[in-house]
Every structure is written in structure tokens, then in C-alpha cells.
Amino acid sequence: MKPQEPAPPRGPASPQEPPAASPPGRTPRGARSPYRSVLKLQNFRRLWLGMTISSLGDWIGFFALLAITNRLAPRNSLAVAGLMMARMLPAFVIGPIAGVALDRLDKRKAMIVADLLRAALIASVPFLDTLPGLYAVAFLLETCALVWMPAKDALVPSLVPARWLVAANSLALFSTYGVFPLGALVFTGLVGTGQFLGAHFESLRGLGLNQENLALWIDTATFLVSVLLVSRIQFPGLAKSKRPIRLSVIWDELTEGLRYFRQRGEITRIVRGIGFALVGGGVIFSLGVPYTTEVLHGGAKGFGAMVAFLGTGMGVGVLLLGLVGHRLSKAWVFASGIISGGLALSLLSVVDRLELAIPVACALGACAGVAYATGFALLQEKVAEEVRGRTFASVQIVIRVSLFLSLTSFPALAELFSTQMSSEDGIRLSMAVGGLLSVAAGTLIARDVFKRRIES
């Protein structure tokens, strides 16, 4: 017998069950595929183009920030670690407050303001010459991202029919990670561009036409293009909250959101599965460099190849998912993707050659992309509009906290194992632990799906 979930809390501010998702306007007819169907929706197309362009700029700007950090503190690995830490901290400090605010604000306007602030912050970096200043910019950039990303995730169900949410999330995930190789190529090509401009345009020589500054200006321009596109999105029929934002009620709003999670156990199980899967899967990044260096003997180029094929696999996986995902059970695909990704990660722990590891990394990326896209589609279907801001802000916090735990715990675990065995075996065993943790997370989700605690 199917167990009953408790009802949502009563009261004027309490969320109710979300209605069946349907975008404003008519559904396009005669579409040949889910991708063509969803991209025919003008409002979603504008959102997706803005996200793709700003994601490309983000990657270019990220490489620039890393290069500037290395220039300000050469041969200091802690400097780069400090930059990454500055990007993690807002999840603990700003994330919960941003979620409460998003449930009370016009989400489109919040995205526009966040992009304008990011453009201004990136444009200020060429004038900074200290690490603390760079860390402050990284902190504020991530703060803006913690507003923009949950707002985007909360708006998608209002733009796209429920049956196309998998395709929409597949496109969103592809635009976020699929442009990574292009961003790397553009950043690399900016060396020659800066030299060419400086040599042929004397009036531009005083503008600092180096690789990093050109990258930062491109990143600034992409945020402004995103502002233009997002500002043209229309949401007819979307309810607007006029409740004021006061510090005195933030705590009440946070506790209400947590209460909603507890009462909607299905949502809690999905978010919990995403978190534990990321803790295990994050080992590929926390131990990726020593793995490719000491185990695969591929060096830094080997790690670059692994990351490139991981991203390629993710892109291919989500694109294929978008074509068939509307015909499949999202819950079972979600569980299967996490389990398969964990098995691929476990297989990597026993591989000892780069040419064998690359296709496994590609498969790992495909499984991770499939699980991520279907997990978000499930949440978008099930979360009431009144708490979508808090819910997706919470998901972004879970993602960052999970990756932080993975980045800090697995290197320590590998070091601990290495005291009892060789360094290579310690790395292998730690990666196997990460893979098994992901398999366990997927298995728990599959059990919940089987018992109808999670439905799609």
C-alpha cells in the first residue's frame, strides 16, 4: 500500500501543491523533437541563449582569474585554494537568505540585477593588484550566482510544459558545461589577439591588452548580453508576491522552508540523493591531478584530457537524454544515472592506462549529466511555486557543500590510506570509496522509487 505524505502546512504563507506545469501561450505544433519543441518557446529560448552566452563568459573569466591569481602569487598553491574557498563561502552565508528573498521578489528582475553586478565586478578586476581584492570579487561573484541560478531554475517550470522539463534541463546543463572546451580555446587564443592589437593599434597599447584583461572584458560583455535577453522574457499569468522583505521575518521564512522539506519527504529524498552522489562523485576533481599523475602517469595534460572527455560525455549524455527523456520515468532514470556513474567511478580506480581511463571518464560524465538533468526536472515538477526560490537556493547550497566535503575529505582519506600502503594504492582506494558512495546513494533512491516514495 502506498504510504501517504503529510499535507503541506496551512496558512496564508504556506505553499500548496503545484499545478501541472504549463507555459504561457500555446504549445507549438508539428515539432520534430523535444529540443525543437522547447526552443520554439520564445521566452525559454531567450533564457537559454542568455545562459549559454554568460556561461561561455564565465569559463573565460574563470581561467583569467586563475591566471591572475598565479601571477600575483607565483608558485603558491594555497593562493588558488584561497580563490576556490572564496567561491565556496557564500553558499553558507548568503545562500539561505537569497532563497527567502527570491520567493518574495520578481525573479526576472533579480536575475537582471545579479548580472549587472557581475558585469561591474568583473570589469573591476583589471584594476586590482592584491589577492584579498581578488578574493573579495570572487566572493561577490558567487553571491550573485547564488541569486541568478536558483531564480533561473525556479522560472523554468513556468516557461516549459512538464513533459519537456527533461529536455529543458538537458539544454541548460549543456550550456553550462558543454561550452567549457570553447571557453578554454577562446582564452588560449586571446594571447595572440592581445599581441596583434597592441602591435597594430598604437592607441590601444595603454589599455592593458593582455590575455587576462581581454578575457575579463569579454566576460563583462556576456553578462550585459544576458541582461538584454533576460529583460525581454515575459511571464504572463505568473503570480507576483508583494510581501515585504524584513530581517525580522527571514528566520521564520527559513524555518517554514525547512518544514516544507520535512513534510514533502519526496523532495527531501531527491535533494539528499543529489548531495550524497556529489560527495562521492566529486572525488574525480579532488584526486584527479594525483590520479592522472601517479596512477595513469599522464601528467597535467592527462588531467586536462580527462576533464575534457568528462565534459564531452556530459554534453553527449544530456543531449541524448533530451531526445528520449520525456518517454521514460524520470525517477528511475535519476536513480540509474547515479548508480551507473558510481560504477564508472569505481572502474576508474582499477584502470592503470590513460587511453583506457578516457572512455570511462566519458561514460562517467554522461551518467552524471543524465542524473543531474532528471533530478532537477523532478524537483521542478514537484515544488510549489511559492517556495521554488528557497528550494532551488537550498539545492545550490547542497551542491556546493557536497563538493566542498569531497574536495577536503578525499585527499585526507587518500593520505590516510597511503600511510598503510603505497601512494598509488591510497588514491585508488579513495576513488573506489567515492564510487561506492555514489552507488549507495543511487541504490537508496531506487529503493524509494520502488516503494513509491519518489514518483515521476
Side-chain angles (χ1 to χ4, degrees):
M1 181 175 179
K2 176 183 173 182
Q4 298 295 319
E5 297 282 3
R10 297 180 180 272
S14 299
Q16 302 299 322
E17 287 293 329
S22 60
R26 288 188 168 185
T27 297
R29 297 179 179 178
R32 297 178 182 176
S33 73
Y35 287 132
R36 183 172 176 181
S37 299
V38 79
L39 289 176
K40 276 192 171 184
L41 300 169
Q42 187 180 63
N43 286 320
F44 176 79
R45 184 170 68 247
R46 287 170 177 164
L47 176 63
W48 180 71
L49 287 174
M51 182 169 34
T52 303
I53 292 169
S54 63
S55 293
L56 176 60
D58 271 344
W59 285 116
I60 298 171
F62 176 70
F63 293 130
L65 290 176
L66 287 178
I68 293 171
T69 302
N70 286 322
R71 174 168 54 79
L72 293 175
R75 296 182 297 278
N76 184 352
S77 59
L78 292 178
V80 175
L83 180 69
M84 302 308 295
M85 186 65 68
R87 294 177 67 94
M88 291 283 186
L89 283 177
F92 303 93
V93 181
I94 305 297
I97 299 174
V100 171
L102 284 174
D103 283 330
R104 292 170 169 262
L105 297 173
D106 184 317
K107 296 178 179 62
R108 181 187 61 176
K109 292 180 180 178
M111 293 168 68
I112 291 172
V113 171
D115 269 346
L116 288 173
L117 290 174
R118 289 197 285 184
L121 288 167
I122 286 293
S124 71
V125 173
F127 304 100
L128 301 175
D129 56 3
T130 64
L131 280 179
L134 200 62
Y135 293 164
V137 168
F139 179 90
L140 293 173
L141 283 171
E142 191 65 16
T143 298
C144 293
L146 283 171
V147 173
W148 200 95
M149 295 180 68
K152 177 265 298 180
D153 292 327
L155 286 177
V156 168
S158 301
L159 303 177
V160 178
R163 65 183 179 278
W164 292 340
L165 281 176
V166 171
N169 282 289
S170 297
L171 284 171
L173 191 60
F174 182 80
S175 70
T176 301
Y177 297 101
V179 297
F180 165 77
L182 180 58
L185 288 174
V186 171
F187 182 72
T188 302
L190 290 177
V191 175
T193 303
Q195 293 172 348
F196 174 83
L197 292 175
H200 292 81
F201 298 92
E202 186 174 350
S203 60
L204 299 178
R205 291 178 185 175
L207 298 179
L209 296 175
N210 55 41
Q211 181 187 25
E212 294 87 359
N213 288 350
L214 287 173
L216 294 169
W217 293 338
I218 291 174
D219 194 9
T220 300
T222 62
F223 284 129
L224 296 177
V225 172
S226 176
V227 167
L228 179 63
L229 289 167
V230 172
S231 65
R232 298 181 64 193
I233 297 175
Q234 299 176 355
F235 301 104
L238 185 63
K240 293 183 179 180
S241 172
K242 296 184 178 180
R243 292 175 292 167
I245 300 175
R246 296 192 301 269
L247 292 177
S248 60
V249 299
I250 287 180
W251 177 254
D252 292 337
E253 294 285 328
L254 288 173
T255 55
E256 181 189 337
L258 292 174
R259 192 182 307 118
Y260 177 74
F261 265 49
R262 287 197 302 269
Q263 293 174 331
R264 296 295 310 280
E266 189 176 22
I267 296 172
T268 303
R269 294 179 189 107
I270 295 170
V271 176
R272 181 184 61 197
I274 292 173
F276 280 107
L278 280 173
V279 172
V283 70
I284 192 66
F285 298 106
S286 58
L287 293 179
V289 173
Y291 170 72
T292 54
T293 302
E294 299 183 35
V295 178
L296 302 180
H297 308 289
K301 291 184 178 179
F303 179 66
M306 288 280 289
V307 171
F309 277 92
L310 187 73
T312 301
M314 180 175 289
V316 172
V318 296
L319 288 177
L320 292 177
L321 173 69
L323 294 174
V324 299
H326 61 291
R327 302 174 183 172
L328 306 173
S329 165
K330 297 182 187 68
W332 280 115
V333 173
F334 178 50
S336 301
I338 294 177
I339 293 173
S340 300
L343 292 174
L345 188 53
S346 300
L347 181 59
L348 276 178
S349 68
V350 299
V351 171
D352 57 1
R353 288 161 49 186
L354 182 61
E355 58 268 27
L356 295 178
I358 281 177
V360 180
C362 195
L364 172 60
C367 295
V370 166
Y372 192 98
T374 51
F376 266 71
L378 281 170
L379 289 174
Q380 287 165 343
E381 282 185 357
K382 299 176 183 300
V383 175
E385 181 183 313
E386 292 85 351
V387 291
R388 280 180 189 159
R390 272 167 285 178
T391 299
F392 287 105
S394 298
V395 173
Q396 293 299 328
I397 294 170
V398 167
I399 289 173
R400 284 158 174 78
V401 171
S402 299
L403 290 175
F404 175 79
L405 289 174
S406 185
L407 290 170
T408 54
S409 61
F410 281 108
L413 186 63
E415 191 67 26
L416 178 63
F417 287 150
S418 297
T419 60
Q420 305 297 323
M421 55 188 70
S422 68
S423 176
E424 178 180 330
D425 288 337
I427 293 169
R428 288 181 183 276
L429 187 55
S430 297
M431 291 190 66
V433 170
L436 292 176
L437 180 60
S438 293
V439 170
T443 302
L444 286 176
I445 293 171
R447 185 193 67 177
D448 289 333
V449 176
F450 179 76
K451 293 185 175 183
R452 295 186 177 181
R453 295 172 182 169
I454 298 177
E455 294 186 347
S456 64

